[in-house]
Amino acid sequence: MKEYAIDSVWNLVNGGAPSLSDSEWSRQLTLLENQKLLGLVFAQKGFALAPEVTKTQAKKVWKLQLLQNGLFFQELAEIERWFLAAGIEAVVLKGMALVPDIYPDLGSRFMCDIDLLLAPTALDRAKNILLTQGFIESVETKWEANDFKIVLEKPFGEMSLVVELHSRLFFQNDVGLWTTREYPRFQSLRRLELHDQLVHLLGHLGYQHSCLMLHWFVDIDRFIRHHGNELDWKAFSVRLKQLRQVRSARLIFFVLKKFLNTPVPQLADFEGGFLFSFLMSEAYLWSVTKPRLRYLLVKHLCKDSWWDALAYDFLWLRARW
């Protein structure tokens, strides 16, 4: 068995139950835990033939995520109530918008915070509401690529509940460009419209985090398998251009098709090339601490222009000098 074998792990993620040696199971357990996929594999019965010690560890992670995510949803219901009373509209992002939709249960997806998109004019009011409810604002060094969000924390037993309030989603100004849809689980909270939700997932993984974690690839794969037939892919391609996430999509779709066999349609905007094949190796994707030079190349390839990439670099360096 290869040291880095995405195909074998993908079998586990999709409910396969391979027969492996104890040492191979131990290696798989470490890889899955590092990439935040252990709870999903447990939920999908991927550890049916694993040693008891492996099953026990996986179940422990799944139960912890089940408890934590259940508390997150309870708190989100409270946040909705507070915001509704103040006339604040909010859009639920990322994991909290995905779990009830494309995952088998609350324990199968790792989450560490609640992300909400608000109008810029509502940001300070929302922050003040949360401060009165026991949250504390986290102190962060502000610069041009993060000065549109506020991070708040509240002790939650032995855990800490984190809420991130966003007035836009990417470094470039995208205020007013996002469209939304209902979130049936809630009365007033909304989710991004399907095409925009996929654009955001791609941009978050590529543009913002340079393909850092494999579980974010799994989000996109599951989203496409669940909603692919509902998407107008040509309209989606237009939204990618409007929101300047074409290169992130191209790189991520290359990885998804190569390693996960994700049913991404054959469109010119989505095709990769030799450089993608060279950069996006299994070893790179599994590594939590990415090789620095390759990481920087991926980081720049995920920007839709070299000007965007260099401007981002300059502002980041300036903020640290």
Side-chain angles (χ1 to χ4, degrees):
M1 181 177 173
K2 293 186 294 183
E3 182 181 3
Y4 302 101
I6 289 179
D7 54 354
S8 65
V9 173
W10 196 237
N11 180 40
L12 288 169
V13 168
N14 286 298
S19 179
L20 305 175
S21 69
D22 287 0
S23 63
E24 287 172 334
W25 276 118
S26 177
R27 185 163 64 244
Q28 294 284 33
L29 187 73
T30 300
L31 290 170
L32 290 166
E33 193 163 20
N34 287 342
Q35 292 291 341
K36 314 301 183 187
L37 289 168
L38 209 52
L40 176 58
V41 173
F42 178 83
Q44 298 285 72
K45 314 298 183 187
F47 290 113
L49 301 180
E52 284 303 316
V53 64
T54 301
K55 292 179 186 176
T56 300
Q57 178 62 21
K59 185 175 182 180
K60 180 180 178 181
V61 170
W62 175 83
K63 288 180 71 174
L64 179 62
Q65 291 180 181
L66 182 70
L67 172 63
Q68 179 173 287
N69 294 346
L71 292 173
F72 279 7
F73 274 102
Q74 289 179 26
E75 189 70 12
L76 185 55
E78 288 295 292
I79 291 171
E80 178 190 35
R81 184 170 62 84
W82 303 329
F83 283 7
L84 189 60
I88 296 174
E89 296 180 353
V91 182
V92 184
L93 304 167
K94 296 188 289 189
M96 294 293 289
L98 290 173
V99 167
D101 189 27
I102 62 173
Y103 280 89
D105 56 48
L106 290 182
S108 59
R109 208 289 193 165
F110 169 80
M111 291 191 288
C112 61
D113 56 21
I114 298 171
D115 288 274
L116 301 172
L117 175 64
L118 301 95
T121 54
L123 203 63
D124 284 337
R125 284 195 296 137
K127 180 187 78 171
N128 290 332
I129 288 171
L130 295 182
L131 290 175
T132 64
Q133 297 296 334
F135 283 84
I136 300 169
E137 184 173 2
S138 298
V139 178
E140 289 189 330
T141 300
K142 292 292 184 181
W143 65 293
E144 286 84 348
N146 75 351
D147 65 356
F148 47 85
K149 75 173 184 179
I150 297 171
V151 181
L152 301 110
E153 295 185 53
K154 182 167 75 171
F156 229 67
E158 296 182 0
M159 301 179 291
S160 179
L161 191 150
V162 177
V163 175
E164 293 194 2
L165 305 176
H166 304 257
S167 61
R168 66 179 198 258
L169 298 183
F170 295 124
F171 170 55
Q172 67 270 18
N173 191 347
D174 54 30
V175 173
L177 296 181
W178 300 96
T179 55
T180 65
R181 60 190 169 114
E182 292 182 349
Y183 194 167
R185 191 183 184 106
F186 297 97
Q187 177 184 348
S188 63
L189 297 176
R190 298 181 69 81
R191 295 177 289 182
L192 292 174
E193 182 272 336
L194 282 176
H195 298 82
D196 283 13
Q197 190 173 11
L198 181 54
V199 172
H200 179 234
L201 292 173
L202 291 161
H204 172 259
L205 173 54
Y207 187 98
Q208 290 182 307
H209 292 288
S210 307
C211 302
L212 192 62
M213 298 295 289
L214 197 57
H215 79 276
W216 288 329
F217 282 97
V218 172
D219 280 344
I220 297 168
D221 173 83
R222 295 182 73 89
F223 186 91
I224 291 172
R225 292 181 190 277
H226 192 83
H227 290 297
N229 292 335
E230 303 170 62
L231 296 172
D232 179 336
W233 287 98
K234 289 185 177 179
F236 170 73
S237 183
V238 171
R239 289 300 281 158
L240 282 176
K241 293 183 176 73
Q242 291 171 338
L243 293 162
R244 295 165 66 181
Q245 298 301 325
V246 173
R247 287 189 179 177
S248 287
R250 191 175 292 159
L251 184 61
I252 293 165
F253 284 159
F254 171 82
V255 171
L256 291 173
K257 288 192 289 186
K258 179 178 179 180
F259 293 113
L260 307 186
N261 200 29
T262 307
V264 178
Q266 296 293 324
L267 294 177
D269 288 342
F270 303 161
E271 297 306 307
F274 169 77
L275 185 58
F276 288 2
S277 184
F278 168 73
L279 289 174
M280 306 308 287
S281 65
E282 286 183 289
Y284 178 83
L285 291 167
W286 274 121
S287 175
V288 175
T289 305
K290 306 296 186 187
R292 192 64 182 168
L293 179 58
R294 190 170 296 209
Y295 175 81
L296 289 173
L297 286 171
V298 171
K299 184 180 185 70
H300 288 79
L301 280 174
C302 286
K303 306 296 188 290
D304 266 22
S305 74
W306 285 105
W307 172 252
D308 280 354
L310 293 174
Y312 191 98
D313 290 343
F314 170 75
L315 294 170
W316 184 85
L317 289 169
R318 188 179 70 176
R320 281 152 180 78
W321 287 345

